[in-house]
Amino acid sequence: MNPELRALYQEMILDHGRRPRHFGAPAEYTHRIEAYNPLCGDRLTLYATVEGETITSLQFEGEGCAISVASASMMCEDLENHSCPQAKQQLRHFLDLVTGRAQSSDLGRLEMLAGVKAFPSRVKCATLAWHALENIVTGVDEPVTTE
Ligand code: ZN
């Protein structure tokens, strides 16, 4: 990744951490998953509306460190209006990247977020919202905890 792009992505992550998008509980939704990372204290709730095979709305609320909030915010922004199979594929990509199972991909700014793989405790922050979405698209109606 070239240095200019890296700087831009870094700034985006900071911005999403400070001013999360898709934030707040919606009035209506079809799925709601709570996610908790006791190691850091991140506590998020992910809300989704799935119509047929499409995720038509994705929002979250809660409190957490900048990495967990930025990751949830970018995930909601990027995966809203994707089909469940597409979302599953993106999820797999991102989780493989963050845990170091894959080297690079075409995930753009999310690839920068994967820089946390050098800090194992931070991986749980970056993947918290993604595990909640994983439960939604795989039909598991259970809260997520990283422990
Ligand atoms: Zn955290």
Side-chain angles (χ1 to χ4, degrees):
M1 199 182 289
N2 76 56
E4 276 169 41
L5 199 56
R6 184 175 289 271
L8 177 69
Y9 286 154
Q10 226 148 26
E11 184 49 46
M12 270 182 165
I13 291 168
L14 290 173
D15 187 52
H16 275 265
R18 280 190 299 254
R19 298 186 305 118
R21 321 299 200 268
H22 293 247
F23 191 81
E28 290 179 29
Y29 51 86
T30 58
H31 297 75
R32 176 184 185 275
I33 299 283
E34 287 177 14
Y36 179 46
N37 174 18
L39 208 68
C40 180
D42 310 316
R43 201 182 278 277
L44 306 174
T45 304
L46 185 67
Y47 301 90
T49 299
V50 179
E51 290 175 40
E53 274 281 83
T54 307
I55 302 167
T56 56
S57 161
L58 209 46
Q59 277 185 238
F60 79 104
E61 65 173 351
E63 280 180 26
C65 65
I67 291 175
S68 66
V69 170
S71 186
S73 173
M74 293 194 287
M75 179 191 81
C76 289
E77 201 171 70
D78 286 0
L79 296 190
E80 191 175 83
N81 294 319
H82 277 51
S83 71
C84 289
Q86 281 173 328
K88 252 186 236 179
Q89 202 178 10
Q90 289 266 53
L91 268 167
R92 193 44 52 206
H93 251 121
F94 181 70
L95 294 175
D96 280 353
L97 202 60
V98 171
T99 52
R101 280 194 297 266
Q103 281 312 313
S104 78
S105 64
D106 50 358
L107 290 174
R109 61 189 187 173
L110 292 174
E111 213 168 312
M112 275 295 299
L113 208 53
V116 297
K117 67 180 172 217
F119 312 94
S121 65
R122 293 315 224 162
V123 168
K124 293 181 176 182
C125 302
T127 57
L128 190 63
W130 296 76
H131 285 302
L133 184 63
E134 190 174 33
N135 278 11
I136 290 173
V137 296
T138 56
V140 178
D141 188 17
E142 283 173 13
V144 169
T145 174
T146 55
E147 291 303 292

